[in-house]
Amino acid sequence: QAGCGTRRRCSTRPVGPPTGRRLAVERVHPPSAGMLSALAALILASSVSSGSQDWKSAFKGQQYDVIVLGTGMKECLLSTLLCKSGRRVLQLDRNPHYGSMSASFPQDEMLQAFGKEAPAGGGAPDSALGNPKSFHLDLTPKFMMMKGKLAKVLLDTGAHRHMQFGPVMGSFIMRNGELHSIPVSAREVTTSPLMAIQDKLQASRFFAWVNRYKPDDPSTHVAGMMKKTTLNLQQMSGAAFLQYWQLHQPTIELAMHGVALYEDDSYLAHPASELVRRMQLYRDSMQTGTKGDLQASPFLYPFYGMGELPQAFARMTGVYGGVTPLER
């Protein structure tokens, strides 16, 4: 990625291995025809992106199976999949950056993207924010769940090799003007101020039942200590499910907004199976490694912002022979 500036918009090379790892020294073989084709495509993309006025001449004699307009997340993913399947792809974007509404910018470039003047001398518009290039701003702020669908797409396509990630070191709920950490263990549940004292025992039973539940194992559908009840989550609404457990409102807010990550009260009308599935996704994303150690939050975030996602797929498109010029 070196040599392409802060935006690294021209980079189509995968990130190198972290320092400190041992690398095997192998004999260098002549490049294959596929590698030469990919290299030619990268050179062509670089020449077209370099600002040449007669950019159409760069494509003289070239034929493409597919032309994709835009470099948003969906367009870049589609281009990568088409290239991997053997199609010749030309992907165009009139913007000087990848990502469309999924792009990320340093603070000063964010102002330029919206037609605003950056301060003279390159200082930060708000001095309290520090160096404008010390952080990135997302047009579409979003976190990824460690075990979510988006993370699986990155792994299945290999796009994760073209990015750098870091865990989000905390997950919190704002209540009465104060931030409280979301409990991640049974001990933290019993000591958390997010639940009333009289609710903690029932909340512990509720979360334990959710943790054990398996859709294909009827023995895990049974709830209750003295009076056993089989909960049919497919036919039970979220409101009925929460009413059965007799949870108080603070605990419901923790479970539904802090763990299941609902932004509103729509969970009341959704099937109870969806509520449990979302809480289990949070749990699974909290666990790392084969020992199931818990981490501080279930979220994953690219070091340079969510704009790295479409850029990673654009790099893969170049590796597989596609051409992705910008400002065209």
Side-chain angles (χ1 to χ4, degrees), residues 41 57 61 75 107 120 123 141 149 152 159 161 171 177 180 197 199 210 213 223 238 263 291 312:
S57 63
E75 292 83 1
Q107 188 183 1
K149 292 182 179 179
K152 292 180 180 179
R161 301 188 186 97
S171 186
H180 298 279
I197 295 178
D199 211 18
V210 169
Y213 177 82
E263 297 180 0
K291 296 182 180 179

Side-chain angles (χ1 to χ4, degrees), residues 200-251:
K200 290 186 177 181
L201 178 58
Q202 186 66 359
S204 298
R205 293 171 178 170
F206 168 74
F207 286 116
W209 187 89
V210 169
N211 189 53
R212 292 193 305 268
Y213 177 82
K214 296 179 181 179
D216 54 353
D217 185 355
S219 65
T220 65
H221 302 178
V222 179
M225 297 295 292
M226 302 298 294
K227 182 180 179 181
K228 303 295 184 181
T229 302
T230 299
L231 303 182
N232 188 340
L233 300 190
Q234 298 292 339
Q235 300 181 3
M236 179 181 283
S237 68
F241 178 64
L242 296 172
Q243 184 178 9
Y244 168 81
W245 286 100
Q246 298 180 345
L247 300 174
H248 291 79
Q249 191 60 31
T251 304

Side-chain angles (χ1 to χ4, degrees), residues 162-326:
H162 300 258
M163 303 175 63
Q164 292 177 296
F165 295 92
V168 178
M169 303 306 295
S171 186
F172 305 86
I173 283 183
M174 175 75 76
R175 179 171 294 171
N176 298 326
E178 296 183 357
L179 278 177
H180 298 279
S181 178
I182 294 179
V184 298
S185 66
R187 181 178 180 181
E188 291 182 9
V189 168
T190 60
T191 59
S192 173
L194 293 173
M195 294 171 287
I197 295 178
Q198 65 270 21
D199 211 18
K200 290 186 177 181
L201 178 58
Q202 186 66 359
S204 298
R205 293 171 178 170
F206 168 74
F207 286 116
W209 187 89
V210 169
N211 189 53
R212 292 193 305 268
Y213 177 82
K214 296 179 181 179
D216 54 353
D217 185 355
S219 65
T220 65
H221 302 178
V222 179
M225 297 295 292
M226 302 298 294
K227 182 180 179 181
K228 303 295 184 181
T229 302
T230 299
L231 303 182
N232 188 340
L233 300 190
Q234 298 292 339
Q235 300 181 3
M236 179 181 283
S237 68
F241 178 64
L242 296 172
Q243 184 178 9
Y244 168 81
W245 286 100
Q246 298 180 345
L247 300 174
H248 291 79
Q249 191 60 31
T251 304
I252 292 176
E253 291 177 358
L254 169 63
M256 295 297 101
H257 299 305
V259 179
L261 301 179
Y262 283 100
E263 297 180 0
D264 51 30
D265 293 339
S266 61
Y267 59 84
L268 295 172
H270 290 184
S273 57
E274 179 184 306
L275 276 60
V276 172
R277 177 183 58 81
R278 293 175 68 134
M279 285 188 284
Q280 289 184 344
L281 173 60
Y282 190 98
R283 174 207 63 193
D284 294 341
S285 297
M286 292 286 297
Q287 297 174 343
T288 59
T290 57
K291 296 182 180 179
D293 297 330
L294 295 178
Q295 56 186 10
S297 84
F299 304 115
L300 194 65
Y301 189 76
F303 278 139
Y304 300 103
M306 292 300 291
E308 284 291 284
L309 290 173
Q311 287 194 61
F313 286 110
R315 294 176 194 131
M316 290 190 66
T317 296
V319 168
Y320 287 103
V323 181
T324 311
L326 298 175

Side-chain angles (χ1 to χ4, degrees), residues 4 9-14 34-50 58-59 62 64 83 88-89 98 162 311-326:
C4 292
R9 73 178 197 181
C10 60
S11 173
T12 52
R13 294 172 293 170
M35 181 65 72
L36 291 175
S37 176
L39 179 60
L42 293 177
I43 295 174
L44 177 58
S46 177
S47 66
V48 175
S49 299
S50 62
F59 300 101
Q62 298 290 330
Y64 299 94
C83 285
R88 286 188 55 81
V89 176
Y98 294 109
H162 300 258
Q311 287 194 61
F313 286 110
R315 294 176 194 131
M316 290 190 66
T317 296
V319 168
Y320 287 103
V323 181
T324 311
L326 298 175

